[in-house]
Amino acid sequence: MATDLVINIASQFLGKKSFADADKATKKLTGSVKNLGRTLGVTLSAAAVLAYGKASVKAASEDIKAQRLLANTLKNVGLAYAAVDAESFISKMQSQTGVLDDQLRPAFAQLAGVTGSIAKTEKLLGLAFDVSSGSTLDYASSVDLLAQAFVGNKKALKQLNLGYTQAELAAMSFDQIQQIITDRFAGSGKAALDTYIGQMSLLAVATNNAKEIIGISLLGAIDSVGGSDGIDNLGKDIENAAKSLANFIDSIVYLKEQIATIPGAGIVKGVFGAVGNVLGRFSPQRAAELLKEIKGPQPFSQPMSLANQDTGRAALATSKKAELDAIKRNKELAKLANAQAKSAAATAKAKKDQAALDKAALALGKGQDVFNLDAIQIQAALLAKQDEINKLGVSASDQQRLQLANDLVRLTIKQDMLALEDAIASKDVAAATRLAAKLDADLKILGTLQNQSFKLTDIKNILDAFKPKELIDQSNLDMALSKIAEMLRLLGVASAQSLSKPATSRSLGSGIPVGDYVAPVAMKDALAASTDALLEYADAATARANAFADLLDLQNTADEASLQTFMAQLGLTKDTSGALQSFRTAESASKVTVEVIDRTSGLIEVVQNAVQQNNRFGNNLTFAGAIA
Amino acid sequence: MPVELEGAVQLRLALKRFAPDLSKQTQIEMAAALKTVTSVARGFVPSDNQVLSGWTKNLSGAENFVYRPFPKFNSAQAKAGITYSTSPSKPNKNGFVALARILNKSAAGAIYETAGRKNPQGQPSYKREGLVYRTANNGLGDMQIYYLAPQNSDRKGYNNSANPKAGKQFIDNLNSTGQLVNARPKGMVGRPTTKETGRLIYRAWAEDNGRANAAVLKALEKSAANFYELTKRAA
């Protein structure tokens, strides 16, 4: 089929492949079980016995080493008296929890070093077992976590997901944390032990213990029988002994099986029990002990002393002292934790206060904006009042004037206050002093108004002070108009004088008749006349023209004298540049300005630009052969 | 997820061997239930002029292709490909045998059924490397030959068309003729999947609301009861 687009309606599990897998798995399991059986010694060979013996000796050696290390550690932390109890506790705990003593001893040493108390250490070891069972941590990590927490390092506690923040955990004492952990993981260890893995771990502990016990016995035997032959010979002896032992066990097992087939085997079973007891009694360890007894008592390794005779009492005193020291240390730690918590709380409070201050500063910044809005509103109100004053003008009643003055002074005072605050804030002393004086003056004005002891003239002055500076004053305008009118009149007079007829000999009263002038000589008369006659005629005509010029000069002198007289009547100073010019000079007081703007430079630029443009486009004005 | 019946395969074998009439009767009853679904599913197959015209055309030179070309759509073939089976199937890799099945066999029908259920916007375009050129021994003097890098084309799971929107246009056209429907019942335990999403048989199965399934099971139970009665009487 090209595709697998199928809808299966009803199906049945035949399980061909699954059954095959299950079959494989079963076979594998069977093989594993067989291997396990072999390991457990169901079919132990001599080689296996020897290997097991070696492993046992090694395990026993390491166990003894670990015991001594723990004892030394306890001694170093002042708990030497508890070494025996510690071993007892560890032995009991490993059988109960399935945690090997290889792990328990370092844990015990670590916690004892931290807590300084055997009781606390034992409690924490039990708690660590619950924690490791109820979490993803292994036993060593759990112990480490508790040890760190005991000295105040609580960062690792987050791995337990206790539901508290790091800050909350940091603020708690170790006892509180211990209680929380105990509540959270209570029963986890027991539940874990009820599982298959838990039972297997207990079995592993038993196996290891057996290995260690056998190893210790073998070590005892080595110690007893090795003698001067050395370890090498002893190894060979052990091998031979192991082979013999294996043969012996096989024989016993075979014998037991054969006897079991015989009727009345119960009696024989009792016999085997007795044989087992005999074998147990004559174990290598027991043999070594017997050998020691045969050799007789050995001298004391330690000298007898008075203190040693009362070791029980001394140990009790040491124990009490150690416990008291541990309690003291715990108290110190608790005190330290409290101090840290207080410090953290103080820091948090400081941060909170700082946040509040920041917030207030932000609000103040916003308030500053509002403040500016107030200033704008005040300014707008002032303008509105001024507008109102302008509208009312002279028609305002006394009451209105009083009200307006009150409003204006209030607004001014508010404005002064704001400006003064600004000046104080910016530490501008000069401005602050000035504004304070202004505020004082405004307050006095307001006081005057509110006490009703006012005078209308004062109010008028107040209002006038608030009026904006007038750009166009009516009186000034009237005065300017009158000046312009006078100027126009004088211009008219001047114009009339300029339009009058030019002075003639008649108008000047020279006695020369109208039309009396030297007539030009006709061409034909000139051609006919002699040269002398012509010269004489020309001289006579020149003399006559000079006489008329003298008359005109006299007339001009008379007109100027008349103008001076007129200007004197107007109160103007004399100016030699002429009457009109003098008048204009006098009128400069009214600030009539005439500006002549010189545009020459602009014209030059235009011409230059045009020339340059022409040059760019190839229309040179100075082409070859052109006249410069 | 099909319903699991214990002993159903053995029952079918026993029926076939010892009660052939009852076996045929059972098959007929199961077929009647399944036919309702296949009939509806065939009704969802679009006509040739409803799909993109290029999909229905014969490819020129297809007889010389060394690869299998994209299957041409034919409405009649797609409809004929929707069928059912009442015979037990071979065990799948998990060891399950299906007693009855609804199938969409044709390639074009399968494409119409499933296109867009994984990539509703079409397959993504693969970014080509760009132009590659060669300069030596091309027989054209100094001329350089440029061509698109072929090593990055024809990648599975990518749009290999020159039209980057080809996939989307194709799916949009199919969606305009029939929507994808997920036949997986809502609230079913397990990881959500689109394996049971389609436009033809899955859509028809979803719209059937389990009636055909119940009818098949009922037919099997009925045949089992009848077979039990037969054997009881024979004993």
Side-chain angles (χ1 to χ4, degrees), chain B residues 16-56:
Chain B
K16 197 172 181 182
R17 181 173 297 179
F18 302 111
D21 293 341
L22 188 55
S23 177
K24 282 183 182 174
Q25 181 61 30
T26 305
Q27 280 195 322
I28 289 167
E29 287 178 6
M30 290 167 64
L34 298 176
K35 198 169 185 179
T36 56
V37 179
T38 54
S39 299
V40 172
R42 284 178 180 179
F44 292 144
V45 177
S47 61
D48 287 351
N49 57 9
Q50 280 183 294
V51 298
L52 293 177
S53 61
W55 196 19
T56 61

Side-chain angles (χ1 to χ4, degrees), chain A residues 96-348:
Chain A
Q96 288 176 349
T97 60
V99 181
L100 293 174
D101 53 1
D102 298 344
Q103 289 179 286
L104 287 173
R105 282 196 188 93
F108 198 101
Q110 185 180 3
L111 286 172
V114 171
T115 62
S117 165
I118 294 296
K120 191 79 175 173
T121 299
E122 291 174 359
K123 206 168 187 178
L124 291 180
L125 282 172
L127 180 59
F129 175 63
D130 280 342
V131 169
S132 65
S133 303
S135 68
T136 56
L137 300 177
D138 57 12
Y139 188 74
S141 301
S142 302
V143 169
D144 191 49
L145 182 148
L146 290 173
Q148 293 294 328
F150 190 86
V151 295
N153 184 0
K154 297 162 185 171
K155 286 181 181 175
L157 289 173
K158 67 180 179 184
Q159 297 177 68
L160 300 180
N161 296 321
L162 296 172
Y164 293 90
T165 63
Q166 283 299 108
E168 286 171 335
L169 288 171
M172 288 180 187
S173 68
F174 180 75
D175 288 338
Q176 289 173 313
I177 292 170
Q178 186 183 349
Q179 188 58 45
I180 290 167
I181 296 173
T182 306
D183 294 343
R184 182 64 54 85
F185 295 100
S188 298
K190 189 174 182 304
L193 284 176
D194 290 339
T195 62
Y196 176 73
I197 293 175
Q199 295 298 314
M200 285 301 290
S201 63
L202 287 175
L203 186 60
V205 167
T207 309
N208 274 290
N209 283 343
K211 194 188 284 182
E212 287 168 7
I213 288 165
I214 291 168
I216 287 167
S217 296
L218 287 172
L219 284 173
I222 291 164
D223 191 30
S224 300
V225 304
S228 58
D229 292 337
I231 295 295
D232 293 336
N233 293 335
L234 184 62
K236 289 174 185 173
D237 292 343
I238 288 172
E239 284 181 17
N240 294 330
K243 284 174 184 173
S244 301
L245 180 63
N247 291 332
F248 179 68
I249 289 170
D250 290 343
S251 303
I252 293 295
V253 170
Y254 177 75
L255 184 61
K256 187 181 177 184
E257 287 173 356
Q258 294 301 317
I259 288 170
T261 59
I262 301 169
I267 300 166
V268 181
K269 192 177 179 183
V271 173
F272 264 98
V275 171
N277 288 336
V278 170
L279 285 173
R281 194 171 296 161
F282 288 97
S283 65
Q285 190 178 15
R286 180 60 183 158
E289 286 171 1
L290 283 172
L291 193 62
K292 280 184 180 176
E293 284 175 14
I294 292 164
K295 285 181 179 176
Q298 298 296 312
F300 289 108
S301 58
Q302 288 185 343
M304 290 289 286
S305 67
L306 192 61
N308 287 343
Q309 290 174 359
D310 199 3
T311 50
R313 193 184 294 171
L316 185 64
T318 311
S319 169
K320 278 185 180 175
K321 184 178 179 301
E323 287 300 324
L324 286 173
D325 287 346
I327 290 167
K328 188 180 172 187
R329 179 169 160 73
N330 286 345
K331 281 182 180 173
E332 286 173 357
L333 283 170
K335 194 176 173 184
L336 184 64
N338 280 337
Q340 285 176 344
K342 278 183 185 173
S343 173
T347 308

Side-chain angles (χ1 to χ4, degrees), chain B residues 1-234:
Chain B
M1 195 71 184
V3 177
E4 185 181 350
L5 295 176
E6 287 188 9
V9 176
Q10 290 79 358
L11 172 69
R12 297 293 301 277
L13 287 171
L15 285 174
K16 197 172 181 182
R17 181 173 297 179
F18 302 111
D21 293 341
L22 188 55
S23 177
K24 282 183 182 174
Q25 181 61 30
T26 305
Q27 280 195 322
I28 289 167
E29 287 178 6
M30 290 167 64
L34 298 176
K35 198 169 185 179
T36 56
V37 179
T38 54
S39 299
V40 172
R42 284 178 180 179
F44 292 144
V45 177
S47 61
D48 287 351
N49 57 9
Q50 280 183 294
V51 298
L52 293 177
S53 61
W55 196 19
T56 61
K57 289 175 183 171
N58 286 318
L59 291 171
S60 60
E63 63 276 6
N64 297 323
F65 287 171
V66 294
Y67 57 91
R68 188 186 180 197
F70 193 71
K72 190 183 73 168
F73 181 79
N74 183 295
S75 182
Q77 284 181 2
K79 282 179 182 175
I82 295 172
T83 180
Y84 58 85
S85 168
T86 56
S87 306
S89 68
K90 289 180 185 172
N92 65 8
K93 62 180 180 180
N94 294 320
F96 281 91
V97 170
L99 298 167
R101 292 173 292 164
I102 295 171
L103 307 140
N104 185 355
K105 289 181 179 176
S106 69
I111 289 167
Y112 181 80
E113 175 97 45
T114 60
R117 74 180 184 180
K118 185 178 178 186
N119 296 303
Q121 302 300 316
Q123 289 179 331
S125 295
Y126 190 82
K127 189 179 178 184
R128 290 169 184 268
E129 288 298 319
L131 286 174
V132 177
Y133 66 90
R134 60 183 182 183
T135 56
N137 299 325
N138 52 31
L140 297 173
D142 294 329
M143 188 183 294
Q144 293 178 336
I145 296 177
Y146 293 86
Y147 56 95
L148 278 173
Q151 64 269 26
N152 293 322
S153 61
D154 300 333
R155 284 182 177 259
K156 187 173 172 61
Y158 288 95
N159 173 25
N160 292 306
S161 171
N163 174 13
K165 294 179 181 176
K168 187 177 186 320
Q169 289 167 353
F170 183 70
I171 292 163
D172 287 346
N173 171 255
L174 300 189
N175 286 338
S176 69
T177 60
Q179 287 298 316
L180 283 167
V181 176
N182 194 342
R184 180 185 168 89
K186 286 183 180 174
M188 180 179 273
V189 178
R191 192 165 57 89
T193 173
T194 57
K195 290 275 184 189
E196 295 174 50
T197 302
R199 294 187 179 86
L200 300 177
I201 61 173
Y202 291 113
R203 183 181 172 191
W205 182 251
E207 291 184 0
D208 187 65
N209 285 323
R211 284 191 288 270
N213 195 25
V216 169
L217 296 176
K218 193 177 175 184
L220 287 168
E221 285 174 0
K222 186 181 164 188
S223 65
N226 290 338
F227 186 66
Y228 177 71
E229 285 296 323
L230 280 173
T231 52
K232 196 176 176 184
R233 267 185 277 160

Side-chain angles (χ1 to χ4, degrees), chain A residues 546-622:
Chain A
N546 287 336
F548 276 111
D550 291 340
L551 283 173
L552 283 172
D553 288 342
L554 288 173
Q555 183 62 40
N556 286 338
T557 306
D559 288 346
E560 185 180 0
S562 172
L563 182 59
Q564 293 290 346
T565 308
F566 174 69
M567 286 173 67
Q569 288 173 356
L570 292 174
L572 301 174
T573 56
K574 181 187 174 184
D575 193 318
T576 53
S577 62
L580 187 58
Q581 185 62 31
S582 299
F583 175 75
R584 285 177 177 169
T585 304
E587 284 296 305
S588 63
S590 64
K591 297 182 181 176
V592 177
T593 307
V594 178
E595 285 187 11
V596 178
I597 300 167
D598 182 13
R599 299 286 185 188
T600 312
S601 57
L603 180 63
I604 291 167
E605 286 177 5
V606 170
V607 173
Q608 280 180 343
N609 286 337
V611 171
Q612 286 167 355
Q613 288 286 341
N614 277 323
N615 286 336
R616 280 197 198 102
F617 290 112
N619 302 325
N620 291 338
L621 300 177
T622 56

Side-chain angles (χ1 to χ4, degrees), chain A residues 478-494:
Chain A
D478 292 342
M479 191 182 294
L481 287 172
S482 64
K483 290 280 184 189
I484 291 167
E486 181 68 16
M487 186 174 67
L488 289 172
R489 187 184 66 79
L490 291 174
L491 284 171
V493 171

